[in-house]
Amino acid sequence: MKSLTIHTLITTIFLISIPTSFALPPSLENVFAQCITDFKPSNPKSPIKNFMYTQQSPNFTTILNNYVRNLRYFNSTSHKPVAIVAAADVTHIQATINCAKKLNIQLRIRSGGHDYDGLSYSSPVDFVVLDMFNLRSIKINPKLDTAWVQSGAVLGEIYYGIANKTNNLRGFPAGVCPGLGAGGHFSGGGYGNMMRKYGLSIDNIIDAKIIDAKGRLLNRSSMGEDLFWALRGGGAASFCVVFAWKIKLVPTPEKVTVFNVDTVGNRGGVNTTELAAKWQEIADKIDNDLFIRLTLGASNKTLKASFMGMYLGNSSKLLEIMNAKFPQLGLNKTDCIEMKWIESVLFWLNIPPGSAPTTVMLNRIPQKQIYLKRKSDYVQKPISRAGLEAIFKVLIENQNVTMAWNPYGGRMSEIPSTETAFPHRAGNMFKIQYSSNWFVPGEAVAKDCLSQTEKVFEAMSPYVSKNPREAFLNYRDIDIGKSLNSTYDEGKVYGVKYFKNNFDRLVKVKSRVDPDNFFRYEQSIPLLSSH
């Protein structure tokens, strides 16, 4: 079957099924639709035809667009999928894998759609989107402090469910964006503002249910520890489809304290250079219950800095820590807001306290779509004051770009870099996210914003990790290397940046569990045999 091209296969099926009268061969989408409808076993209570959308379906564009988070990859000329399967049952996933494999169609798996370079809903070749949004069950066991979470559940639903079921005494360490889907977010690492206390999402995942390239439903025990290791930080889309994760809940205090201190020029006589220098000294070494993100940007030729933090405790204890370790910021009681952990989710979305109910985090579809570019870096040595001033100058010259500096340390430094596939542990002071957003279509504005992002990224090269210049998988960035059918050497270009010394182990796992390289995309793990 592998030797047949798609068109040969379609024509063969066509000739077998219509031996006499002449007609055009059926389209690829019709052949795919027929294949998954005929697939056995099926669930009669949930017929797959009710969950499949081809380009002829009235809802096709709406379903495709609902989870597009970067308009750069969604326009009238974008290559659209042959079909979307919005799976609502394990058999739907099995059918999609089986038929995509049989017809040699690429499979793209989408849980929340936040992948920054649109790889879950775009491809240059014929592809099918396996959309996980219907698979969003969350089953919480408060007695055991665990939960089974399906891949299509978004973080807002998970947080809200946990807080409600545990009387606000438990949470889960994951991202600050409620719209992130558990499938991709967890498998790339899953970091957020509790990572200095509890590590990443993957450090709190204890089991998974997956469907492999053979269509088998497996759990941690039946898949084996090597694959379970790879799924945690290695990006599951190179290996299988994750159906559900079993997560371990973590304690949250009765009240957390949040703050957001904005500075323009200086604060209380201390300039931004001094504040950023001091932040570097303390951010990864301060109390593990405290996370302070520094965001830098410019407007009207003026640098702006924001120190946004969350402390897992009350404000008096936070002020004690800040006065001792970071007095230069001048944090005072009026800057601090005490709230339940679940309420802090809205604070990190810049929603003013008390202005919206916590149910807002259950909204899955954003009100506005944007064009964007994101990149990442890791900083391992403090940047000098002269270096900081040079960086600020570049930001003032490229005002469409902001940087978020997210501190590591704490629990992140205690977990060995080989414990999971995610390698960026001890030795990293902070991670940088570069962000550029724009709101209108057109080549000129896109070119300008991408050029600004590249200029800032290049200007940062003396200050960040080297050999390799490390990158974070979930800040997907195809600029650092890509190939649709990567050889080992092509895959290594981006692979060592994302996974460092864990790359070769990931290649071995990939070669064992998916030797035909069915699960592949522009930055997937390559096969050893392609070396």
Side-chain angles (χ1 to χ4, degrees):
M1 187 65 76
K2 274 185 221 166
S3 62
L4 292 175
T5 67
I6 298 170
H7 298 295
T8 308
L9 185 62
I10 291 171
T11 308
T12 306
I13 293 167
F14 165 69
L15 290 172
I16 291 165
S17 57
I18 313 175
T20 49
S21 60
F22 177 77
L24 287 171
S27 67
L28 180 57
E29 64 186 65
N30 289 342
V31 175
F32 177 79
Q34 191 63 53
C35 178
I36 67 166
T37 306
D38 292 344
F39 179 80
K40 298 288 182 283
S42 60
N43 182 349
K45 292 179 181 172
S46 186
I48 196 166
K49 63 179 172 49
N50 296 347
F51 299 93
M52 183 188 60
Y53 305 86
T54 66
Q55 293 185 21
Q56 269 61 57
S57 307
N59 292 338
F60 175 83
T61 303
T62 304
I63 297 292
L64 181 59
N65 186 37
N66 275 348
Y67 292 89
V68 167
R69 299 291 177 264
N70 187 350
L71 286 175
R72 289 176 62 204
Y73 302 102
F74 186 77
N75 55 51
S76 57
T77 60
S78 304
H79 188 213
K80 303 296 188 292
V82 170
I84 302 164
V85 180
D89 188 77
V90 170
T91 59
H92 298 170
I93 299 172
Q94 292 168 323
T96 306
I97 290 171
N98 176 277
C99 295
K101 208 171 175 184
K102 192 181 282 184
L103 297 170
N104 196 24
I105 305 172
Q106 283 252 305
L107 182 68
R108 296 295 162 114
I109 309 154
R110 183 166 77 166
S111 50
H114 274 247
D115 61 322
Y116 287 147
D117 277 342
L119 302 184
S120 64
Y121 49 86
S122 64
S123 174
V125 298
D126 289 327
F127 72 109
V128 170
V129 171
L130 179 59
D131 224 332
M132 305 295 279
F133 65 85
N134 284 319
L135 293 167
R136 56 201 213 218
S137 141
I138 301 162
K139 291 181 178 167
I140 298 161
N141 187 330
K143 286 182 182 172
L144 294 179
D145 276 343
T146 61
W148 273 105
V149 174
Q150 289 185 338
S151 280
V154 294
L155 297 188
E157 293 166 343
I158 296 167
Y159 294 158
Y160 188 84
I162 292 170
N164 271 359
K165 274 274 188 176
T166 65
N167 201 22
N168 291 303
L169 295 175
R170 295 290 181 271
F172 188 70
V176 298
C177 297
L180 291 162
H185 180 65
F186 292 175
S187 79
Y191 92 94
N193 52 26
M194 291 202 291
M195 71 175 178
R196 302 192 64 255
K197 175 74 170 181
Y198 295 117
L200 305 172
S201 301
I202 51 171
D203 302 321
N204 299 276
I205 286 175
I206 51 180
D207 204 345
K209 291 175 185 171
I210 67 158
I211 294 94
D212 72 359
K214 294 177 181 173
R216 298 176 300 181
L217 178 63
L218 306 171
N219 62 13
R220 179 174 182 172
S221 172
S222 53
M223 79 174 81
E225 284 301 305
D226 251 14
L227 181 51
F228 186 64
W229 172 87
L231 298 183
R232 289 172 297 145
S238 287
F239 304 95
C240 60
V241 176
V242 174
F243 179 68
W245 303 99
K246 189 178 187 182
I247 63 175
K248 185 176 63 182
L249 311 186
V250 301
T252 50
E254 209 172 292
K255 295 280 183 187
V256 302
T257 306
V258 293
F259 61 89
N260 190 15
V261 173
D262 290 322
T263 70
V264 180
N266 69 68
R267 178 170 166 89
V270 184
N271 68 29
T272 306
T273 306
E274 287 305 312
L275 290 173
K278 186 63 182 175
W279 177 90
Q280 283 188 109
E281 276 179 42
I282 59 97
D284 65 321
K285 300 171 193 71
I286 208 162
D287 193 301
N288 291 5
D289 286 333
L290 179 54
F291 177 91
I292 308 170
R293 181 177 72 188
L294 169 56
T295 304
L296 296 163
S299 63
N300 300 319
K301 297 294 177 187
T302 305
L303 183 77
K304 298 187 174 183
S306 157
F307 297 84
M308 192 170 189
M310 182 168 83
Y311 176 65
L312 300 171
N314 63 38
S315 58
S316 55
K317 181 65 179 158
L318 168 63
L319 288 167
E320 209 178 287
I321 294 165
M322 291 294 282
N323 289 335
K325 302 290 185 183
F326 196 6
Q328 294 84 347
L329 190 61
L331 191 73
N332 57 52
K333 186 82 174 168
T334 55
D335 298 315
C336 301
I337 310 163
E338 291 184 354
M339 56 178 62
K340 292 171 183 169
W341 171 75
I342 192 66
E343 294 168 337
S344 75
V345 176
L346 302 191
F347 181 82
W348 284 84
L349 292 176
N350 294 312
I351 295 173
S355 66
T358 51
T359 49
V360 164
M361 70 183 73
L362 302 176
N363 296 343
R364 295 176 70 95
I365 312 298
Q367 290 178 326
K368 185 166 65 173
Q369 289 172 304
I370 61 171
Y371 301 81
L372 62 89
K373 179 61 191 172
R374 302 288 187 266
K375 297 178 82 66
S376 62
D377 258 322
Y378 284 89
V379 174
Q380 294 161 347
K381 293 174 183 170
I383 302 169
S384 68
R385 283 164 173 75
L388 290 169
E389 283 171 9
I391 291 164
F392 298 165
K393 187 170 181 288
V394 172
L395 283 173
I396 287 166
E397 289 163 359
N398 297 278
Q399 296 192 168
N400 205 62
V401 184
T402 60
M403 285 195 279
W405 293 7
N406 295 284
Y408 272 43
R411 182 78 185 116
M412 291 296 290
S413 294
E414 296 165 5
I415 300 167
S417 60
T418 53
E419 181 80 14
T420 63
F422 178 93
H424 314 286
R425 303 285 189 173
N428 289 295
M429 294 170 57
F430 57 96
K431 174 177 63 186
I432 299 175
Q433 176 174 222
Y434 303 84
S435 300
S436 181
N437 298 337
W438 58 102
F439 307 95
V440 292
E443 278 299 308
V445 65
K447 193 175 176 186
D448 178 47
C449 292
L450 293 171
S451 166
Q452 287 189 43
T453 310
E454 201 53 47
K455 283 174 188 167
V456 176
F457 185 71
E458 281 307 307
M460 288 300 294
S461 58
Y463 313 110
V464 298
S465 61
K466 295 170 182 64
N467 304 314
R469 183 172 184 173
E470 297 172 30
F472 176 41
L473 180 68
N474 272 358
Y475 288 173
R476 182 74 66 192
D477 180 10
I478 54 174
D479 298 350
I480 68 170
K482 66 168 183 170
S483 174
L484 198 52
N485 296 290
S486 296
T487 63
Y488 174 86
D489 290 333
E490 288 168 334
K492 194 171 184 178
V493 172
Y494 53 81
V496 295
K497 294 171 186 173
Y498 286 139
F499 307 115
K500 297 172 68 182
N501 294 336
N502 289 337
F503 174 68
D504 279 339
R505 184 176 171 190
L506 285 165
V507 170
K508 285 174 187 165
V509 176
K510 166 74 172 177
S511 303
R512 181 177 64 79
V513 304
D514 185 22
D516 297 329
N517 201 20
F518 171 68
F519 290 107
R520 67 187 185 276
Y521 59 94
E522 285 83 347
Q523 287 189 333
S524 53
I525 302 293
L527 296 174
L528 197 56
S529 59
S530 63
H531 198 355

